[in-house]
Amino acid sequence: MRAAAYIRISRDHTGEQFGVGTQRDRINALIKARGWTLADEYVDNSVSASKARGKGTAWARMLEAAKRDEFDMIVAVDLDRLLRQQADLLTLIDSGARIVTVDGEIDLSTADGEFRATMLAGIARFEVRRKAERTVRANQQRREQGIPITSSRVLGFTQDGMSLVEDEAEAVREAFDAFHAGVSAGQVARDLNAAGYRTSKGKQFGFESVRYLLTNARYAGLIRHHDTGKVYAGNFPAIVSEDSWRAAVARFSDPARKHPVGNTPRWLLSGIAVCGKCGEQSIQCTGSKYGPVYRCKKRHLSRRAEPVEELVNAVMVARLSRPDAATLFAPDDDIDVDQLRRDRAVTQSKLDGLTRLFTDGVLTESSVRKQSAELRKTLNDIDTRLEASNNTIVSDVASADDVEDAWMSLDLERKRLVLDTLMTVTILPTAGGRGGFRPESVRFSPK
């Protein structure tokens, strides 16, 4: 008699009774005692029987093997390992498979066996539903008590989520600060990975995991219901202010924001430098037989990239090394950044609402145009004040003991942010000829 062993376990933290090894030992002991032959073994690890098990699971492969008559029966520790849904029971019945469990044999080819299996599956389904209802009630009680629900450890907190891990908490603060300073989520991910931090699943950070981090209410000392969006006060310390968290959420929720894929600038001036002929930020870096070259997208000029960047680096170091730089670029402590972020979120919400009102026919085009212009002016004013208060990267470099080392140690994205904050770089057309690089062909205009 050929037997197929089916082994399944949900995630360990759910408190499943039998581990994979224990199930295997008990199934093999039964097969040996009956004098059968083990035809194959099908293992679904970290898979729930109360959810659909589709292609790619051992369950699906086993059913296909049953159709090919590769075994005579299925052996499991108990029926719960096989199914907790009536649909899965019907699938097994249709396959014509016989089932033997360690705690008693069930033959689905008989009316008695099918009735017994139906009753057991119904009981299992009842237990699943009752457990789910208890879990919902328990989770709601934890929310109201300000206790985190998830069992996964979150960066910055201890396993129970009630205390801080200080070095990780500081890394989270730096991630929020960098994001608000204009650093992209991708660069924040690279910063965290370089510092040796990993996600709760032990993987490196990427765009999605950084978005989850920066929009996680727990960092603001809050618990957010994932279905209703209702926010509860947490009974644990916050790592960042609620305004900082809400500002990050607003930035990710901005309809105009798009996740750039594969177009991260690799050169300092790409998309920043201005073409001296057309006056547009049309400079991009492309390859050539001479190496990387800055070119205007409208083909107005081209210039070897390396000497241009050497000049830009020298000019930036000189500007940031001036005696007045540290004081000049110090953040304005008189500006209430949190209030500005709140104001910006409210203004952006009003601006988004105008579009909906126009679409619904509540407002006329002229009315929308007038109100939109006023709101956009308000947004520009707020952004200008936020930029003035958020020059922490510029300030850190300008106040460093070794400005050149601090500047050269910045990653490309932060260099671009500083450069775009302080200077307008214009690459000018030059007369023909084979002369070398001319520094005067690059113009620097302080902002």
Side-chain angles (χ1 to χ4, degrees), residues 193-361:
N193 292 333
Y197 296 110
R198 295 295 181 264
T199 68
S200 59
K201 295 182 179 180
K203 298 181 179 180
Q204 288 197 335
F205 281 91
F207 177 85
E208 293 300 334
S209 49
V210 166
R211 175 164 62 179
Y212 175 78
L213 184 153
L214 295 174
T215 58
N216 190 337
R218 288 179 63 183
Y219 291 120
L222 305 170
I223 299 173
R224 184 176 182 274
H225 195 295
H226 64 280
D227 288 331
T228 66
K230 185 176 179 179
V231 175
Y232 299 80
N235 193 23
F236 49 87
I239 293 179
V240 300
S241 70
E242 182 177 347
D243 289 322
S244 180
W245 166 67
R246 290 192 180 279
V249 172
R251 184 173 167 190
F252 276 111
S253 302
D254 186 350
R257 176 184 175 83
K258 295 182 179 179
H259 173 207
V261 179
N263 63 345
T264 302
R266 297 172 55 192
W267 292 85
L268 186 58
L269 299 179
S270 293
I272 292 179
V274 175
C275 170
K277 184 171 183 179
C278 65
E280 298 179 6
Q281 289 180 312
S282 57
I283 302 295
Q284 298 293 333
C285 192
T286 59
S288 75
K289 64 180 180 180
Y290 303 108
V293 172
Y294 281 123
R295 302 180 190 275
C296 172
K297 288 190 291 186
K298 297 182 178 180
R299 300 184 181 182
H300 291 148
L301 56 83
S302 65
R303 201 66 42 78
R304 286 183 57 218
E306 292 179 357
V308 173
E309 294 209 352
E310 288 178 5
L311 176 62
V312 172
N313 284 327
V315 170
M316 291 303 298
V317 169
R319 179 67 188 92
L320 293 168
S321 297
R322 284 170 46 176
D324 66 336
T327 303
L328 182 62
F329 300 127
D332 189 345
D333 294 332
D334 294 332
I335 295 179
D336 187 341
V337 176
D338 288 340
Q339 183 61 50
L340 282 175
R341 287 173 179 156
R342 276 197 299 270
D343 293 345
R344 194 189 193 289
V346 171
T347 305
Q348 183 65 58
S349 177
K350 291 180 179 178
L351 187 60
D352 296 339
L354 286 180
T355 303
R356 292 191 295 271
L357 291 173
F358 175 69
T359 303
D360 295 340

Side-chain angles (χ1 to χ4, degrees), residues 413-444:
E413 187 163 322
R414 285 178 171 82
K415 277 187 176 181
R416 287 168 56 84
L417 283 171
V418 174
L419 176 61
D420 201 30
T421 299
L422 301 184
M423 299 276 186
T424 297
V425 180
T426 304
I427 300 180
L428 305 171
T430 58
R434 290 182 170 272
F437 172 69
R438 303 172 188 173
E440 63 272 16
S441 67
V442 183
R443 183 174 64 208
F444 298 89

Side-chain angles (χ1 to χ4, degrees), residues 35 64 99 108 120-121 131 162 222 260 262 329 349 393 411 424:
E64 290 298 321
I99 299 175
L108 293 181
L120 291 174
K131 179 182 177 182
M162 300 301 290
L222 305 170
F329 300 127
S349 177
I393 303 175
D411 56 72
T424 297

Side-chain angles (χ1 to χ4, degrees), residues 379-409:
L379 277 180
N380 289 335
D381 292 342
I382 293 174
D383 287 340
T384 299
R385 297 183 68 194
L386 280 173
E387 285 182 12
S389 69
N390 214 12
N391 286 335
T392 54
I393 303 175
V394 184
S395 177
D396 288 346
V397 176
S399 60
D401 293 335
D402 188 333
V403 172
E404 182 176 7
D405 181 66
W407 168 257
M408 297 306 293
S409 296

